[in-house]
């Protein structure tokens, strides 16, 4: 590193001293904390993003958001050149620079890391980072700190994309690195045109219920509600009413996280909405759940969570592949036997996993966290992943898309209008509609809606695919969460020794009982998840295992 670069860093670093007594960790959600504690972290992550751009020779993204957290929180996450999450290899460096206590320590970390990663500061194209933020009041000042971090690397360019959803920023990074237009209008155009294509390809005999033609969306009083209100004007064939689009408190009694966990209707929904098809976004619009209000009392709902969204997508994709390959042997006529896979975590409801397997789908479990789901889904020709909380997407391999495009072209010239040609068109349109960089509530809403119309299903018919097993999640405060070590996609605890045997003994007391524990990635708690055939049994199983954890590791506050 040349002297002018070191000098520039030493001039900039002291302006953003780290808060005393605060230790931050870069997890699946990036860095996240009370916004008042994050200015130095934003500055330092700006430096990291510029270094990542130099290392990859690509545009990198920085999204400033705390997603479904309360409005006083904020956070930042890095988007890699693919539009996906920051490579896990760089997470320890993110932790190190965020927590470096003084300017000299930080500079040394940067010098040593740049040397280890062979990052050249001269003679290459300059670093470029796209920045976005959600609607939080703290976002503007934190974005400015991130910009100053980026521009403390010689020649680095910080491009402010304004107030955007998290998926939009990730999409823009992916698009820029593929040589595509990266404006918000180009994002909306891609979604609307692929949605229109899919709507045009609906079978005539599969018409939707006339009473079920409107979708009411809870925007969580965040950026997603604002964007959807703007976007819906360009859509035809779909009537959307947006509520909670910024007139209330962000994520307070609203949003996908609230609806999914509390299983009640969000603020602004009530008895007048009984039976309507409703959806809820989270604060930065990367999660989506559906619901319908079922009771005039206490805003009770019928929840349609990420597991059922995954099931709907998987059924549709499987049907299109079956049509495309109908009557063809594995190697006849250039037929491509696409490897379709479904990826879940241990938190997926057991009934959903059983249903998917009964449908003949390959189901794989991974560690909790979108980065693990995304990585595993990328191993398939078509990989579909979702968490129950509504975060997920569909990935198409480049090899499969190349084959599909060639096949579609052939079918257009030899059998236009045939079932196979339409199936190929639908799959191509899905690959354009769904956000392959990251879970995207806006593109997810459109894909759900067009598949429901294709199937001729109401939200109630969709929800009848299977019935969730009652479940309960608890957390136990512990002195040291690292004392819990798990294996088999976090479903088996190997440390502390003997605890899994004790958990198994509790599980055996309940029909269809299932329970596992896992350490939190962000706080000193151990999370407990339990399922059984009744809610009372699931509650009892979760409570008994929570007591086991507290006895072994707890602080006496289970």
């Amino acid at each position: 590193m040349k002297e002018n670069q070191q000098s520039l860093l030493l001039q900039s670093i002291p302006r953003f001293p780290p808060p005393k007594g605060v230790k931050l960790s870069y997890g699946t959600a990036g860095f996240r904390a009370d916004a008042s504690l994050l200015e130095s972290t934003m500055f330092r992550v700006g430096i990291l993003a510029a270094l990542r751009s130099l290392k990859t020779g690509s545009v990198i993204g920085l999204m400033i958001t705390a997603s479904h957290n309360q409005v006083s929180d904020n956070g930042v996450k890095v988007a890699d050149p693919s539009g996906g999450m920051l490579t896990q290899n760089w997470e320890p460096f993110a932790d190190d620079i965020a927590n470096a206590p003084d300017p000299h320590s930080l500079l040394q970390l940067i010098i040593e890391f740049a040397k280890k990663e062979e990052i050249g500061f001269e003679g290459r194209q300059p670093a470029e980072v796209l920045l976005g933020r959600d609607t939080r009041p703290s976002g503007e000042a934190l974005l400015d700190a991130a910009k100053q971090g980026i521009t403390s690397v010689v020649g680095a360019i910080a491009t402010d994309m304004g107030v955007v959803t998290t998926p939009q920023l990730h999409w823009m990074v992916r698009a820029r690195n593929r040589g595509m237009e990266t404006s918000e209008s180009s994002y909306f155009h891609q979604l609307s045109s692929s949605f229109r294509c899919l709507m045009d390809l609906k079978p005539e005999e599969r018409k939707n219920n006339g009473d079920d033609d409107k979708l009411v969306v809870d925007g969580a009083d965040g950026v997603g509600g604002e964007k959807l209100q703007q976007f819906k004007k360009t859509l035809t064939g779909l009537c959307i009413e947006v509520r909670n689009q910024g007139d209330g408190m962000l994520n307070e009694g609203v949003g996908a996280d609230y609806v999914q966990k509390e299983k009640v209707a969000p603020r602004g929904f009530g008895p007048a909405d009984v039976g309507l098809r409703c959806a809820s976004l989270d604060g930065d619009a990367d999660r989506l759940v559906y619901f319908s209000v079922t009771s005039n009392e206490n805003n009770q709902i019928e929840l349609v969570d990420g597991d059922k969204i995954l099931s709907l997508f998987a059924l549709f994709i499987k049907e299109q592949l079956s049509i495309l390959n109908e009557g063809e042997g594995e190697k006849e006529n250039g037929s491509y036997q696409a490897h379709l896979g479904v990826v879940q975590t241990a938190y997926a409801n057991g009934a959903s996993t059983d249903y998917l397997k009964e449908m003949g789908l390959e189901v794989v479990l991974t560690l909790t966290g979108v980065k693990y789901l995304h990585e595993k889904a990328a191993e398939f020709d078509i990989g579909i992943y979702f968490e129950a909380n509504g975060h997920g997407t569909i990935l198409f391999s480049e090899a499969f898309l190349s084959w599909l495009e060639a096949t579609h072209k052939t079918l257009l010239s030899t059998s236009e209008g045939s079932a196979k040609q339409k199936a190929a068109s639908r799959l191509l349109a899905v690959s354009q509609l769904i956000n392959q960089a990251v879970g995207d509530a806006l593109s997810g809403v459109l894909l759900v809606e067009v598949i429901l119309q294709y199937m001729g299903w109401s939200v109630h018919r969709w929800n009848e695919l299977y019935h969730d097993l009652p479940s309960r999640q608890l957390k136990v405060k512990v002195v040291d969460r690292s004392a819990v070590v798990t294996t088999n996609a976090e479903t088996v605890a190997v440390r502390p020794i003997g605890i899994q045997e004790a958990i198994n003994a509790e599980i055996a007391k309940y029909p269809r009982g299932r329970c596992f524990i896992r350490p939190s990635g962000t706080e000193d708690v151990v999370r407990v998840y339990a399922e059984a055939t009744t809610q009372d049994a699931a509650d009892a199983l979760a409570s008994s295992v929570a007591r086991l954890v507290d006895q072994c590791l707890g602080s006496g506050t289970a």
Side-chain angles (χ1 to χ4, degrees):
M1 185 185 291
K2 288 189 175 179
E3 190 174 328
N4 67 327
Q5 177 62 82
Q6 292 192 38
S7 176
L8 182 56
L9 286 166
L10 284 173
Q11 287 172 25
S12 304
I13 291 170
R15 296 203 297 268
F16 298 94
K20 295 187 184 300
V22 176
K23 184 175 174 60
L24 296 170
S25 178
Y26 193 100
T28 297
F31 290 115
R32 198 173 287 182
D34 188 283
S36 64
L37 302 174
L38 287 174
E39 193 173 53
S40 73
T41 303
M42 293 292 170
F43 170 79
R44 295 170 182 211
V45 174
I47 296 172
L48 180 148
L51 295 179
R52 185 73 184 149
S53 180
L54 290 174
K55 169 69 177 179
T56 60
S58 303
V59 174
I60 298 295
L62 272 191
M63 183 65 199
I64 296 172
T65 181
S67 188
H68 55 274
N69 282 35
Q70 60 192 5
V71 71
S72 57
D73 286 350
N74 218 319
V76 61
K77 42 189 162 185
V78 179
D80 248 5
S82 66
M85 295 186 172
L86 175 68
T87 178
Q88 294 174 48
N89 295 336
W90 277 48
E91 289 183 10
F93 176 58
D95 289 350
D96 289 344
I97 65 169
N99 297 300
D102 55 70
H104 177 73
S105 302
L106 178 56
L107 181 62
Q108 282 304 117
L109 279 169
I110 294 168
I111 291 170
E112 290 167 11
F113 186 76
K115 184 177 180 181
K116 185 186 83 165
E117 290 288 321
E118 299 180 340
I119 297 170
F121 289 83
E122 300 86 18
R124 293 190 180 191
Q125 65 188 58
E128 183 176 1
V129 181
L130 305 186
L131 298 110
R133 62 183 175 92
D134 68 14
T135 54
R136 293 165 195 272
S138 59
E140 195 168 355
L142 293 177
L143 186 137
D144 184 63
K147 276 185 182 177
Q148 293 191 54
I150 294 163
T151 54
S152 68
V153 173
V154 173
I157 301 164
T159 304
D160 185 358
M161 305 307 292
V163 175
V164 293
T165 70
T166 292
Q168 282 181 314
L169 192 278
H170 284 258
W171 182 92
M172 289 168 179
V173 171
R174 185 174 190 263
R176 174 66 69 85
N177 287 315
R178 288 170 167 244
M180 296 161 53
E181 173 63 41
T182 57
S183 66
E184 183 173 84
S185 61
S186 60
Y187 165 85
F188 284 141
H189 176 72
Q190 181 170 315
L191 265 59
S192 60
S193 59
S194 50
F195 174 73
R196 182 70 263 160
C197 176
L198 282 163
M199 290 289 279
D200 289 343
L201 288 164
K202 284 186 305 177
E204 283 299 317
E205 67 273 15
R206 292 183 180 178
K207 294 297 184 184
N208 212 349
N209 186 329
D211 298 328
D212 207 30
D213 61 349
K214 183 171 83 167
L215 172 69
V216 187
V217 179
D218 158 36
D221 285 316
V223 62
E226 292 183 6
K227 299 298 182 184
L228 184 57
Q229 183 66 23
Q230 172 188 341
F231 180 36
K232 74 173 191 176
K233 298 169 187 173
T234 68
L235 294 171
T236 55
L238 180 59
C239 178
I240 299 177
E241 177 189 338
V242 185
R243 300 181 191 169
N244 303 325
Q245 53 178 299
D247 46 346
M249 189 71 76
L250 174 71
N251 293 329
E252 191 171 293
V254 293
D257 189 65
Y258 173 80
V259 171
Q260 191 252 339
K261 285 190 168 57
E262 301 299 325
K263 295 182 174 59
V264 295
R267 171 170 33 83
F269 289 73
D273 303 310
V274 169
L276 291 180
R277 188 173 72 261
C278 306
S280 188
L281 321 178
D282 71 336
D284 65 337
D286 64 356
R287 293 186 185 185
L288 168 70
V289 296
Y290 271 67
F291 66 93
S292 59
V293 181
T294 58
S295 169
N296 291 335
E297 299 178 5
N298 303 320
N299 283 348
Q300 294 302 300
I301 63 168
E302 209 174 64
L303 176 68
V304 188
D305 64 7
D307 292 337
K308 284 210 167 113
I309 295 173
L310 183 154
S311 298
L312 183 72
F313 289 177
L315 284 177
F316 181 76
I317 297 290
K318 184 173 185 286
E319 180 176 318
Q320 305 315 308
L321 287 174
S322 296
I323 294 169
L324 204 50
N325 290 319
E326 190 175 348
E328 295 190 11
E330 190 166 332
K331 295 183 180 178
E332 293 174 15
N333 303 321
S335 180
Y336 187 111
Q337 297 298 311
H339 190 190
L340 171 62
V342 172
V343 188
Q344 296 183 306
T345 73
Y347 283 107
N349 194 278
S352 76
T353 306
D354 291 345
Y355 172 78
L356 291 164
K357 288 179 177 178
E358 287 166 8
M359 293 302 297
L361 292 157
E362 181 177 347
V363 183
V364 180
L365 288 187
T366 71
L367 299 176
T368 302
V370 174
K371 60 188 176 186
Y372 301 111
L373 289 153
H374 195 97
E375 183 178 27
K376 179 57 69 172
E379 295 177 9
F380 295 93
D381 289 313
I382 307 175
I384 311 173
Y385 73 84
F386 263 86
E387 295 180 295
N389 64 26
H391 194 141
T393 191
I394 307 171
L395 303 183
F396 292 80
S397 73
E398 294 294 340
F400 174 71
L401 284 177
S402 294
W403 172 84
L404 184 61
E405 286 166 1
T407 299
H408 183 248
K409 187 176 180 180
T410 300
L411 289 167
L412 278 174
S413 63
T414 60
S415 54
E416 185 175 0
S418 67
K420 288 191 178 189
Q421 182 264 310
K422 289 179 179 179
S425 293
R426 290 186 193 107
L427 288 171
L428 283 171
V430 170
S431 75
Q432 289 294 306
L433 176 56
I434 202 71
N435 190 333
Q436 293 190 59
V438 71
D440 186 337
L442 300 189
S443 71
V445 159
L446 297 183
L447 186 53
V448 166
E449 291 299 311
V450 80
I451 294 175
L452 289 179
Q453 291 201 32
Y454 174 91
M455 297 287 195
W457 287 358
S458 68
V459 67
H460 312 291
R461 169 65 182 85
W462 174 22
N463 205 31
E464 289 295 313
L465 285 178
Y466 59 84
H467 297 285
D468 282 334
L469 288 166
S471 64
R472 179 63 63 200
Q473 294 187 46
L474 298 174
K475 60 182 182 181
V476 184
K477 289 184 180 179
V478 296
V479 176
D480 178 14
R481 68 182 185 272
S482 67
V484 174
V485 179
T486 63
T487 188
N488 291 1
E490 301 176 312
T491 59
V492 176
V494 294
R495 293 283 189 280
I497 292 173
I499 197 168
Q500 186 61 50
E501 288 74 13
I503 293 171
N504 290 345
E506 293 300 319
I507 291 171
K509 298 175 183 178
Y510 302 95
R512 292 195 72 181
R514 183 170 77 93
C515 188
F516 65 91
I517 63 172
R518 60 175 287 271
S520 166
T522 56
E523 53 185 328
D524 274 325
V525 301
V526 170
R527 302 190 186 280
V528 178
Y529 178 87
E531 285 177 356
T533 51
T534 68
Q535 191 61 57
D536 285 346
D539 292 347
L541 176 54
S543 295
S544 63
V545 171
R547 284 193 293 273
L548 283 173
V549 173
D550 191 53
Q551 289 163 12
C552 288
L553 303 163
S555 54
T557 57

